[in-house]
Amino acid sequence: NAGVTQTPKFRVLKTGQSMTLLCAQDMNHEYMYWYRQDPGMGLRLIHYSVGEGTTAKGEVPDGYNVSRLKKQNFLLGLESAAPSQTSVYFCASSYRGPSGRTDTQYFGPGTRLTVL
Amino acid sequence: GDSVTQMEGPVTLSEEAFLTINCTYTATGYPSLFWYVQYPGEGLQLLLKATKADDKGSNKGFEATYRKETTSFHLEKGSVQVSDSAVYFCALSDTDKLIFGTGTRLQVFP
């Protein structure tokens, strides 16, 4: 049981390049999330998904796109990278709790992205 | 909308000191409340949680009690260790996501 995994762990891009970050979970969770964390800062939600085939915007969605074609995978795309997107990106997954609200989120180890 | 407010850090303590990190929240309905910990270079890990008023979550010597009357979920530990140095995040459950506080850095010195 690997939990939440992220690929790649590190990446360096030049301004204007594109890339896709992959998140995979093996816990059969309905919900998946992408966050970014800048140095010394908290988490900011980029996009999230409440089920296969669905996506929704979070707090800072501009410059990113996502897709959830399979329940276990959630992809984050940067179409034209900018230095302002230099950050650590975390993926998380969770399930619906007894209250009907989302419950515990499980986080991946992060992807460290530098845009030059 | 729902929100979480944490005390600003860093919190600097000597080993074996008592720890309190304050967290208050604003929410409609009855959210679950969480504390997460992030060690350097790692992702967030669940430390403890509470799902209803007066519940006490506990793990690794840390405790927090869900106080509906004061809308608080303060994190406490009786005797901190150097290995507890990390960033601690308070969070509450919204319908489809968690709302996180800004995090509090704890530094424990020998």
Side-chain angles (χ1 to χ4, degrees), chain B residues 4-36:
Chain B
V4 173
T5 302
Q6 290 182 236
M7 64 188 289
E8 291 202 16
V11 174
T12 304
L13 295 173
S14 298
E15 208 165 23
E16 300 184 1
F18 184 86
L19 168 71
T20 300
I21 300 178
N22 291 336
C23 172
T24 58
Y25 68 90
T26 302
T28 55
Y30 305 97
S32 295
L33 300 175
F34 306 82
W35 276 102
Y36 281 81

Coordinates of all heavy atoms in Angstrom, one line a residue, chain B residues 4-36:
Chain B
V4 N -9.8 29.2 9.4 CA -9.0 28.7 10.5 C -7.9 29.8 10.8 O -7.3 30.3 9.9 CB -8.3 27.4 10.2 CG1 -7.4 27.0 11.3 CG2 -9.4 26.3 10.0
T5 N -7.7 30.1 12.1 CA -6.7 31.1 12.5 C -5.8 30.4 13.5 O -6.2 29.9 14.5 CB -7.3 32.3 13.1 OG1 -8.3 32.9 12.2 CG2 -6.3 33.3 13.5
Q6 N -4.5 30.4 13.2 CA -3.5 29.9 14.1 C -2.6 31.0 14.6 O -2.4 32.0 13.9 CB -2.5 28.9 13.3 CG -3.1 27.7 12.9 CD -2.1 26.8 12.2 OE1 -2.3 26.4 11.1 NE2 -1.0 26.5 12.9
M7 N -2.0 30.7 15.7 CA -1.0 31.7 16.2 C 0.2 31.7 15.3 O 0.6 30.6 14.7 CB -0.6 31.3 17.7 CG 0.1 30.0 17.8 SD 0.4 29.5 19.6 CE 1.6 30.7 20.0
E8 N 0.8 32.8 15.2 CA 2.0 33.0 14.3 C 3.2 32.4 15.1 O 3.3 32.5 16.3 CB 2.2 34.4 13.9 CG 1.1 34.9 13.0 CD 1.6 36.1 12.2 OE1 2.8 36.4 12.2 OE2 0.7 36.8 11.6
G9 N 4.2 31.9 14.3 CA 5.4 31.5 14.9 C 6.5 32.4 14.5 O 6.3 33.5 14.0
P10 N 7.8 31.9 14.7 CA 8.0 30.6 15.3 C 7.8 30.6 16.8 O 7.9 31.6 17.5 CB 9.5 30.4 14.9 CG 10.1 31.8 14.9 CD 9.0 32.6 14.4
V11 N 7.5 29.4 17.3 CA 7.5 29.1 18.7 C 8.8 28.4 19.0 O 9.1 27.4 18.4 CB 6.3 28.2 19.0 CG1 6.3 27.8 20.5 CG2 4.9 28.8 18.7
T12 N 9.5 29.0 20.0 CA 10.8 28.5 20.3 C 10.8 28.0 21.8 O 10.4 28.8 22.7 CB 11.9 29.6 20.2 OG1 11.9 30.0 18.8 CG2 13.3 29.0 20.4
L13 N 11.1 26.7 22.0 CA 11.1 26.1 23.3 C 12.3 25.3 23.6 O 13.0 24.9 22.7 CB 9.9 25.2 23.4 CG 8.5 25.8 23.3 CD1 7.4 24.7 23.3 CD2 8.2 26.8 24.5
S14 N 12.6 25.2 24.9 CA 13.6 24.2 25.3 C 13.1 22.8 25.4 O 11.8 22.7 25.7 CB 14.3 24.7 26.6 OG 14.9 25.9 26.5
E15 N 13.9 21.8 25.2 CA 13.4 20.4 25.4 C 12.8 20.3 26.8 O 13.2 20.9 27.8 CB 14.6 19.5 25.3 CG 14.3 18.1 24.7 CD 15.5 17.4 24.3 OE1 16.6 17.7 24.7 OE2 15.3 16.4 23.5
E16 N 11.7 19.5 26.8 CA 10.9 19.2 28.0 C 9.9 20.3 28.4 O 9.2 20.1 29.4 CB 11.8 18.7 29.1 CG 12.6 17.5 28.8 CD 13.4 17.0 30.0 OE1 13.3 17.6 31.1 OE2 14.1 16.0 29.9
A17 N 9.9 21.4 27.6 CA 8.9 22.4 28.0 C 7.5 22.0 27.5 O 7.3 21.1 26.7 CB 9.4 23.7 27.3
F18 N 6.5 22.8 28.1 CA 5.1 22.6 27.7 C 4.8 23.4 26.4 O 5.2 24.5 26.3 CB 4.2 23.0 28.9 CG 2.8 22.7 28.6 CD1 2.2 21.5 28.9 CD2 1.9 23.7 28.1 CE1 0.9 21.2 28.7 CE2 0.6 23.4 27.8 CZ 0.1 22.2 28.2
L19 N 4.1 22.7 25.6 CA 3.7 23.4 24.3 C 2.2 23.6 24.2 O 1.4 22.7 24.5 CB 4.1 22.5 23.1 CG 3.6 22.9 21.7 CD1 4.3 24.1 21.2 CD2 3.7 21.7 20.8
T20 N 1.9 24.8 23.7 CA 0.5 25.1 23.3 C 0.6 25.9 22.0 O 1.3 26.9 21.9 CB -0.3 26.0 24.3 OG1 -0.3 25.3 25.6 CG2 -1.7 26.3 23.8
I21 N -0.1 25.4 21.0 CA -0.3 26.2 19.7 C -1.8 26.4 19.6 O -2.6 25.5 19.5 CB 0.3 25.4 18.5 CG1 1.8 25.1 18.7 CG2 0.0 26.2 17.3 CD1 2.4 24.3 17.5
N22 N -2.1 27.7 19.5 CA -3.6 28.1 19.5 C -4.1 28.0 18.1 O -3.5 28.3 17.1 CB -3.8 29.5 20.0 CG -3.5 29.6 21.5 OD1 -3.6 28.6 22.2 ND2 -3.2 30.8 22.0
C23 N -5.4 27.5 18.0 CA -6.1 27.4 16.8 C -7.6 27.7 17.1 O -8.2 27.1 18.0 CB -6.0 26.0 16.2 SG -7.1 25.7 14.7
T24 N -8.1 28.7 16.4 CA -9.6 29.0 16.4 C -10.2 28.9 15.0 O -9.5 29.0 14.0 CB -9.9 30.3 17.0 OG1 -9.2 31.3 16.2 CG2 -9.4 30.5 18.5
Y25 N -11.5 28.6 15.0 CA -12.1 28.4 13.7 C -13.4 29.2 13.6 O -14.0 29.5 14.6 CB -12.3 26.9 13.4 CG -13.3 26.3 14.3 CD1 -14.6 26.2 13.9 CD2 -12.9 25.7 15.5 CE1 -15.5 25.6 14.8 CE2 -13.8 25.1 16.4 CZ -15.1 25.1 16.0 OH -16.1 24.5 16.8
T26 N -13.8 29.4 12.4 CA -15.2 29.9 12.1 C -15.8 28.9 11.1 O -15.1 28.6 10.0 CB -15.1 31.3 11.4 OG1 -14.5 32.2 12.3 CG2 -16.5 31.8 11.1
A27 N -17.0 28.4 11.4 CA -17.5 27.4 10.5 C -19.1 27.3 10.6 O -19.6 27.6 11.7 CB -17.0 26.0 10.7
T28 N -19.7 27.0 9.6 CA -21.1 26.7 9.6 C -21.3 25.1 9.8 O -20.4 24.4 9.3 CB -21.9 27.1 8.4 OG1 -21.2 26.5 7.2 CG2 -21.8 28.6 8.2
G29 N -22.2 24.7 10.5 CA -22.4 23.3 10.7 C -21.4 22.7 11.7 O -20.9 23.4 12.6
Y30 N -21.1 21.4 11.5 CA -20.3 20.7 12.5 C -19.1 20.1 11.8 O -19.1 18.9 11.5 CB -21.1 19.7 13.2 CG -22.3 20.3 13.8 CD1 -23.6 20.3 13.2 CD2 -22.2 21.0 15.1 CE1 -24.7 20.9 13.8 CE2 -23.3 21.6 15.7 CZ -24.6 21.5 15.0 OH -25.7 22.1 15.6
P31 N -18.0 20.8 11.6 CA -16.9 20.3 10.9 C -16.1 19.3 11.7 O -16.1 19.4 13.0 CB -16.0 21.5 10.5 CG -16.3 22.5 11.6 CD -17.8 22.3 12.0
S32 N -15.3 18.5 11.1 CA -14.2 17.8 11.8 C -13.0 18.7 11.9 O -12.8 19.6 11.0 CB -13.8 16.5 11.1 OG -14.9 15.6 11.1
L33 N -12.2 18.5 12.9 CA -11.0 19.4 13.1 C -9.7 18.5 13.1 O -9.8 17.4 13.6 CB -11.1 20.2 14.4 CG -12.3 21.1 14.5 CD1 -12.4 21.7 15.9 CD2 -12.2 22.2 13.4
F34 N -8.7 19.0 12.6 CA -7.4 18.3 12.4 C -6.2 19.1 12.8 O -6.2 20.3 12.6 CB -7.3 17.9 10.9 CG -8.4 17.2 10.3 CD1 -9.5 17.9 9.8 CD2 -8.4 15.8 10.1 CE1 -10.6 17.3 9.2 CE2 -9.5 15.2 9.5 CZ -10.6 15.9 9.1
W35 N -5.2 18.4 13.2 CA -3.8 18.9 13.2 C -2.9 18.0 12.4 O -2.9 16.8 12.5 CB -3.3 18.9 14.7 CG -3.7 20.1 15.5 CD1 -4.7 20.2 16.4 CD2 -3.2 21.4 15.4 NE1 -4.8 21.4 16.9 CE2 -3.9 22.2 16.3 CE3 -2.1 22.0 14.6 CZ2 -3.6 23.6 16.5 CZ3 -1.9 23.4 14.8 CH2 -2.6 24.1 15.7
Y36 N -2.2 18.7 11.5 CA -1.2 18.1 10.6 C 0.2 18.6 11.0 O 0.3 19.7 11.5 CB -1.4 18.4 9.2 CG -2.5 17.6 8.5 CD1 -3.9 18.0 8.6 CD2 -2.2 16.5 7.7 CE1 -4.9 17.2 8.0 CE2 -3.2 15.8 7.1 CZ -4.5 16.1 7.3 OH -5.5 15.4 6.7

